[in-house]
Amino acid sequence: MIYITRRETFAASHRLYRPELSDEENYKLFGKCSNPNGHGHNYTIEITVAGEVDPYTGFVLDLKKLKEIIQNEIIIHVDHKNLNVDTQFMKGIIPTSENICIALWKQLEDKIPNGKLFSIKLYETENNYFEYRG
Amino acid sequence: MIYITRRETFAASHRLYRPELSDEENYKLFGKCSNPNGHGHNYTIEITVAGEVDPYTGFVLDLKKLKEIIQNEIIIHVDHKNLNVDTQFMKGIIPTSENICIALWKQLEDKIPNGKLFSIKLYETENNYFEYRG
Amino acid sequence: MIYITRRETFAASHRLYRPELSDEENYKLFGKCSNPNGHGHNYTIEITVAGEVDPYTGFVLDLKKLKEIIQNEIIIHVDHKNLNVDTQFMKGIIPTSENICIALWKQLEDKIPNGKLFSIKLYETENNYFEYRG
Amino acid sequence: MIYITRRETFAASHRLYRPELSDEENYKLFGKCSNPNGHGHNYTIEITVAGEVDPYTGFVLDLKKLKEIIQNEIIIHVDHKNLNVDTQFMKGIIPTSENICIALWKQLEDKIPNGKLFSIKLYETENNYFEYRG
Amino acid sequence: MIYITRRETFAASHRLYRPELSDEENYKLFGKCSNPNGHGHNYTIEITVAGEVDPYTGFVLDLKKLKEIIQNEIIIHVDHKNLNVDTQFMKGIIPTSENICIALWKQLEDKIPNGKLFSIKLYETENNYFEYRG
Amino acid sequence: MIYITRRETFAASHRLYRPELSDEENYKLFGKCSNPNGHGHNYTIEITVAGEVDPYTGFVLDLKKLKEIIQNEIIIHVDHKNLNVDTQFMKGIIPTSENICIALWKQLEDKIPNGKLFSIKLYETENNYFEYRG
């Protein structure tokens, strides 16, 4: 079994809040991440697929294809977007890094051509990262 | 002459657009950075001060003080903020990285206790950075 | 289950030696890390907590609180300190990276407000890192 | 149980191809990695050993020795080399990152003086990495 | 004056040698970089352009255009290539990092749409980099 | 003119203080860097030499030689050392990063075989760096 990881980045804005709460209540719950006009990040994601090596090619899967899948299923929906408003697959979900990880997993889970999706890692800043393994 | 650099980061959202233009016209001019609902970045800044070494302390200036000044003059105004709406010193300025550099220079220029402000460097992503030397 | 990691850094000095051995014997055992006057590192730690996402907030735990706990239980005891002399929780322990990992685990194990401590990772240099999972 | 990781780098060239195929067929299978005159990378490897801490030294193993073993078993065979032609332990193997990981595992598996080899991680670029755990 | 830098990477192989010398003589002059079958690197380049900010857009130049120019003038000629054989603009030039910098400068010098080419920086490894300013 | 930079690292401890002052007075002047038992850093240095390219080799200078000179003139005196006590060329000098830069310049200035020493850059942490150009 080999674990292959592809790293990509995207730049997005978001706001953490519950719509039924006041700004003060949201600040209590989400701190400065609840700023009403939003803020943003350069997110880095690491997508790991686990699979066996094809003895003919020496590949688990063609990384060019994995890159295209990540591009089409994730990047075009989140890069230079507002995650609260623009991203269909985040609709109705508070865009915490925890929830983004789970949403990205759902986007990719059935699309991996060889091997199986093993892990989604998301770096929100250089000091905070999150991982989901399904 | 010694050049001292302090690195800090902040997370902000922004939108590049001119209000008198349509979304289509703004897209033509600013590309995906004109997304109407905004997007964001983890910005990294490097503030460089040039000065002479005090023979008694071996310091050009106390980095703790420089850090405080950067905190008060820059970080609290931009971190977890929307640069188009929340940041007083960016009012009326299109928040391109070029313009942010110049605005940060103006914020700091007269506040350096020892030595002189030499350079403002701003990393918008890991692939794009900008520098202003006054 | 989501794995959340917080990264922090601290600057410390240490010396690897057993007090009952001569300098030559310590050098044989610990190499240049036994230098009698000590040496130091910028240590980086990555603290990983595993837990379930609260559906109301989308958080496993409030990272601001995790950061405070790491600050109070670890950073103030080791940052700008001599690990052999200044750090209470390292008393009587040779401050190898292996032992530091285990000591940090003991400091944090019972303090995590939500989820469970999963891993302590310690980078001694850019080329050597150590992990402990309890 | 402590996991110790040593990071090393090497610079090598390679070509991905099957000798019985034409250049066009190889391009279909391996893309630009099949360029007939080769290309190259700064590879980074992370070798992880798992073991228990010796209470006398506080070490799992002497990292200087691990470094020497990696140097002798791996680095001298691949650094500033052509992996298709110069590296004995890659003979007859397509030098994909997957296959390099497995070959490095075989080189090291029986050479670890204390603890057990746990993982071989290989970064081909800053965006693609591969891991093998035996 | 603002300095804008775009960072790109490419993976290439090369060999340092003079064709009129024997392998031994080349080894004396170029060390392990003269390995007859070549070796390779992940090169990182940083292209810096200096210019004035257009008050209408807040841009010195459109980074998307700069990226395209670097792609067409540099990357397609060197990425996944052998610099001694495949790269037209390196023909007859020993592909040392010094000479690559100068060749990249010539490729780009007249192609910058706004502002002027200020610097070419090339990282051969994480420990060695080279800069040329014309 | 080409600027060549070699990056090296070393791990050292130090204490910032003036011997004639009390611990309280030193704390006032140097903050936590005055901790009586010292602390330490993984220092990174970048040594830049400026010179012209030799048309026969395509080199400004042999980087292997530059590496040896840095090793002999700097690294063996500071790596795994206490800068206040162990390092001959820092005797009587408060080991601030400013003063270390100047001392490293003096160590190297006359030893560069081709080209001229252009800059000494010293990273004390990932957030603070210092440069001296003579």
Side-chain angles (χ1 to χ4, degrees):
Chain A
M1 192 73 91
I2 293 273
Y3 301 85
I4 298 184
T5 300
R6 175 73 192 170
R7 176 182 173 276
E8 298 281 353
T9 62
F10 61 91
S13 61
H14 72 158
R15 183 195 172 199
L16 302 188
Y17 73 110
R18 293 195 63 91
E20 71 274 20
L21 301 182
S22 68
D23 283 3
E24 287 70 28
E25 290 167 320
N26 275 312
Y27 184 80
K28 228 172 181 169
L29 214 50
F30 297 106
K32 58 186 180 176
C33 296
S34 71
N35 178 41
N37 301 309
H39 66 286
H41 297 289
N42 298 329
Y43 289 96
T44 297
I45 51 174
E46 294 185 354
I47 309 297
T48 302
V49 172
E52 284 178 39
V53 181
D54 177 333
Y56 189 71
T57 59
F59 283 156
V60 168
L61 85 174
D62 186 340
L63 262 169
K64 200 160 67 271
K65 276 188 203 150
L66 180 59
K67 192 180 160 180
E68 274 169 32
I69 291 164
I70 298 171
Q71 186 66 26
N72 292 330
E73 301 298 328
I74 296 177
I75 302 299
I76 60 170
H77 303 291
V78 293
D79 187 34
H80 284 74
K81 301 290 184 196
N82 179 320
L83 299 178
N84 298 77
V85 182
D86 295 323
T87 306
Q88 205 54 40
F89 66 71
M90 292 302 295
K91 278 281 150 69
I93 300 171
I94 304 175
T96 60
S97 290
E98 288 92 330
N99 282 340
I100 299 172
C101 280
I102 296 170
L104 298 189
W105 181 277
K106 287 179 186 159
Q107 282 295 102
L108 286 184
E109 195 177 13
D110 301 332
K111 312 290 182 345
I112 306 301
N114 283 82
K116 287 187 53 164
L117 185 59
F118 177 74
S119 157
I120 303 277
K121 220 169 175 177
L122 181 135
Y123 292 78
E124 193 182 61
T125 68
E126 64 188 5
N127 293 324
N128 301 332
Y129 64 85
F130 301 78
E131 188 177 12
Y132 182 59
R133 298 189 171 189
Chain B
M1 192 73 91
I2 292 272
Y3 301 84
I4 297 184
T5 301
R6 175 73 192 171
R7 176 183 172 275
E8 299 281 352
T9 62
F10 61 92
S13 61
H14 72 158
R15 183 195 172 199
L16 303 188
Y17 74 109
R18 293 195 63 93
E20 72 274 20
L21 300 183
S22 69
D23 283 2
E24 288 69 30
E25 290 168 321
N26 275 311
Y27 185 80
K28 229 173 181 167
L29 214 51
F30 297 105
K32 57 187 180 175
C33 296
S34 70
N35 178 41
N37 301 310
H39 67 287
H41 296 289
N42 297 328
Y43 289 95
T44 297
I45 50 174
E46 294 185 354
I47 309 296
T48 301
V49 172
E52 283 178 38
V53 181
D54 177 333
Y56 189 72
T57 60
F59 283 156
V60 168
L61 84 174
D62 186 341
L63 262 170
K64 200 159 67 276
K65 276 188 203 149
L66 180 59
K67 193 181 159 180
E68 273 169 31
I69 292 164
I70 298 172
Q71 187 64 26
N72 292 330
E73 301 298 329
I74 296 178
I75 301 300
I76 60 170
H77 302 292
V78 293
D79 187 34
H80 284 74
K81 301 291 184 196
N82 179 320
L83 300 177
N84 298 79
V85 182
D86 296 324
T87 306
Q88 204 55 39
F89 67 69
M90 293 300 297
K91 278 281 152 68
I93 300 171
I94 303 175
T96 60
S97 290
E98 288 92 330
N99 281 340
I100 299 172
C101 281
I102 296 170
L104 298 188
W105 181 277
K106 286 179 186 160
Q107 281 296 103
L108 287 184
E109 195 177 12
D110 300 332
K111 313 289 182 344
I112 306 302
N114 284 82
K116 287 186 53 163
L117 184 59
F118 177 73
S119 158
I120 303 277
K121 220 168 174 176
L122 181 135
Y123 292 77
E124 191 183 62
T125 68
E126 63 188 6
N127 294 323
N128 300 333
Y129 62 86
F130 301 77
E131 187 177 11
Y132 183 58
R133 299 189 170 188
Chain C
M1 192 72 91
I2 294 273
Y3 301 84
I4 297 184
T5 301
R6 176 73 193 170
R7 176 183 173 276
E8 299 281 352
T9 61
F10 61 91
S13 61
H14 72 158
R15 183 195 172 199
L16 302 188
Y17 73 111
R18 292 195 64 91
E20 72 273 21
L21 301 183
S22 69
D23 283 2
E24 288 69 30
E25 289 167 321
N26 275 310
Y27 185 80
K28 228 173 181 170
L29 214 50
F30 297 105
K32 56 186 181 177
C33 297
S34 71
N35 179 40
N37 300 310
H39 67 286
H41 297 289
N42 298 327
Y43 289 96
T44 298
I45 51 173
E46 294 185 354
I47 309 296
T48 302
V49 172
E52 284 179 38
V53 180
D54 177 332
Y56 189 72
T57 59
F59 283 156
V60 168
L61 84 175
D62 186 340
L63 263 169
K64 200 159 68 278
K65 276 187 204 149
L66 180 59
K67 192 180 158 180
E68 273 169 33
I69 292 164
I70 298 171
Q71 186 65 25
N72 292 330
E73 301 297 329
I74 296 177
I75 302 299
I76 59 169
H77 302 291
V78 293
D79 188 35
H80 283 74
K81 301 291 184 195
N82 179 321
L83 300 177
N84 298 78
V85 182
D86 296 323
T87 306
Q88 204 55 38
F89 66 71
M90 293 300 297
K91 277 282 152 68
I93 301 170
I94 304 175
T96 60
S97 290
E98 288 91 331
N99 282 340
I100 300 172
C101 280
I102 295 170
L104 298 189
W105 180 277
K106 287 179 186 160
Q107 282 295 102
L108 286 185
E109 196 178 10
D110 301 332
K111 313 287 183 344
I112 307 299
N114 284 81
K116 287 187 53 163
L117 185 58
F118 178 74
S119 158
I120 303 277
K121 220 168 174 177
L122 180 136
Y123 292 77
E124 192 181 63
T125 69
E126 64 187 5
N127 293 324
N128 300 334
Y129 63 87
F130 301 77
E131 187 177 10
Y132 183 59
R133 298 189 171 188
Chain D
M1 192 72 91
I2 293 272
Y3 301 85
I4 298 184
T5 301
R6 175 74 193 170
R7 175 183 174 276
E8 298 281 352
T9 61
F10 61 91
S13 60
H14 72 158
R15 183 196 172 197
L16 303 187
Y17 73 110
R18 292 196 64 91
E20 72 273 21
L21 300 183
S22 69
D23 283 2
E24 287 69 30
E25 290 168 322
N26 275 311
Y27 184 81
K28 229 172 179 169
L29 215 50
F30 296 106
K32 58 187 180 176
C33 296
S34 71
N35 179 41
N37 301 310
H39 67 287
H41 297 288
N42 298 328
Y43 290 96
T44 298
I45 51 174
E46 294 185 353
I47 309 296
T48 302
V49 172
E52 284 177 38
V53 180
D54 177 333
Y56 188 72
T57 60
F59 283 156
V60 169
L61 85 175
D62 186 340
L63 263 169
K64 199 158 70 279
K65 276 187 203 149
L66 180 59
K67 192 181 160 180
E68 272 169 32
I69 292 164
I70 298 172
Q71 186 65 25
N72 292 329
E73 300 298 328
I74 296 178
I75 301 300
I76 60 170
H77 302 291
V78 293
D79 187 35
H80 283 74
K81 301 291 184 194
N82 180 319
L83 301 177
N84 298 77
V85 183
D86 296 323
T87 306
Q88 204 56 40
F89 66 70
M90 293 299 297
K91 276 284 151 68
I93 301 170
I94 304 175
T96 60
S97 289
E98 289 92 330
N99 282 340
I100 299 171
C101 279
I102 296 170
L104 298 188
W105 181 277
K106 287 179 185 160
Q107 282 295 102
L108 287 184
E109 195 178 12
D110 301 331
K111 312 290 182 345
I112 307 300
N114 284 81
K116 285 187 54 164
L117 185 58
F118 178 74
S119 158
I120 303 276
K121 220 169 175 178
L122 181 136
Y123 292 77
E124 193 182 62
T125 69
E126 64 188 5
N127 294 323
N128 300 332
Y129 64 85
F130 301 78
E131 188 177 12
Y132 183 59
R133 297 186 171 191
Chain E
M1 192 74 89
I2 293 273
Y3 301 84
I4 297 183
T5 300
R6 175 75 193 170
R7 175 183 174 276
E8 299 281 352
T9 62
F10 61 91
S13 60
H14 72 159
R15 184 197 172 198
L16 302 188
Y17 74 110
R18 293 195 63 91
E20 73 273 20
L21 300 182
S22 69
D23 284 2
E24 288 70 31
E25 290 168 322
N26 275 310
Y27 185 80
K28 227 173 182 170
L29 214 50
F30 297 106
K32 57 186 180 176
C33 296
S34 72
N35 179 41
N37 301 309
H39 67 286
H41 298 288
N42 298 328
Y43 289 96
T44 298
I45 51 173
E46 294 184 354
I47 309 296
T48 302
V49 172
E52 284 179 38
V53 181
D54 177 333
Y56 188 72
T57 60
F59 283 156
V60 168
L61 85 174
D62 186 341
L63 262 170
K64 199 159 68 281
K65 275 187 204 150
L66 180 59
K67 192 180 160 180
E68 273 169 33
I69 291 164
I70 298 172
Q71 186 65 26
N72 292 330
E73 300 299 327
I74 296 178
I75 302 299
I76 60 171
H77 302 292
V78 293
D79 188 35
H80 283 74
K81 301 292 184 194
N82 179 320
L83 300 177
N84 298 78
V85 182
D86 296 323
T87 305
Q88 205 55 41
F89 67 70
M90 293 300 295
K91 277 282 152 69
I93 300 171
I94 304 175
T96 60
S97 290
E98 288 91 331
N99 281 340
I100 299 171
C101 280
I102 296 170
L104 299 188
W105 180 278
K106 286 178 185 160
Q107 282 296 102
L108 287 184
E109 194 177 13
D110 301 331
K111 311 290 182 345
I112 307 301
N114 283 81
K116 287 187 54 165
L117 185 59
F118 177 73
S119 158
I120 303 276
K121 220 168 174 177
L122 181 137
Y123 291 77
E124 192 183 63
T125 69
E126 62 188 7
N127 293 323
N128 300 332
Y129 63 85
F130 301 77
E131 187 177 11
Y132 183 58
R133 299 188 169 188
Chain F
M1 192 73 90
I2 293 273
Y3 301 84
I4 297 183
T5 301
R6 176 73 193 170
R7 175 183 173 275
E8 298 282 353
T9 61
F10 61 91
S13 61
H14 73 159
R15 181 194 174 200
L16 302 188
Y17 73 110
R18 293 195 63 92
E20 72 273 21
L21 300 182
S22 69
D23 283 2
E24 288 68 30
E25 290 167 321
N26 275 312
Y27 185 81
K28 227 174 184 169
L29 213 51
F30 297 106
K32 57 186 180 176
C33 296
S34 71
N35 178 41
N37 301 310
H39 67 286
H41 297 288
N42 297 328
Y43 289 96
T44 298
I45 51 173
E46 294 184 353
I47 309 296
T48 302
V49 171
E52 283 178 39
V53 180
D54 176 332
Y56 188 72
T57 60
F59 283 157
V60 168
L61 85 175
D62 186 341
L63 263 170
K64 199 158 69 291
K65 276 188 203 150
L66 180 59
K67 192 180 160 181
E68 274 170 30
I69 291 164
I70 298 172
Q71 186 64 26
N72 292 330
E73 301 298 328
I74 296 178
I75 301 300
I76 59 170
H77 303 291
V78 292
D79 188 35
H80 284 73
K81 301 291 184 195
N82 180 318
L83 300 177
N84 298 77
V85 182
D86 296 323
T87 306
Q88 205 54 40
F89 67 71
M90 293 300 297
K91 277 281 151 70
I93 301 171
I94 304 175
T96 60
S97 290
E98 289 92 330
N99 281 340
I100 299 172
C101 279
I102 296 170
L104 299 188
W105 180 277
K106 286 179 186 161
Q107 282 296 102
L108 286 184
E109 195 178 12
D110 301 331
K111 311 289 182 346
I112 306 301
N114 283 81
K116 287 187 53 165
L117 185 58
F118 178 74
S119 158
I120 303 277
K121 220 169 173 175
L122 180 136
Y123 292 77
E124 192 183 62
T125 69
E126 62 187 6
N127 294 323
N128 300 333
Y129 62 85
F130 301 77
E131 187 176 11
Y132 182 59
R133 298 189 170 187

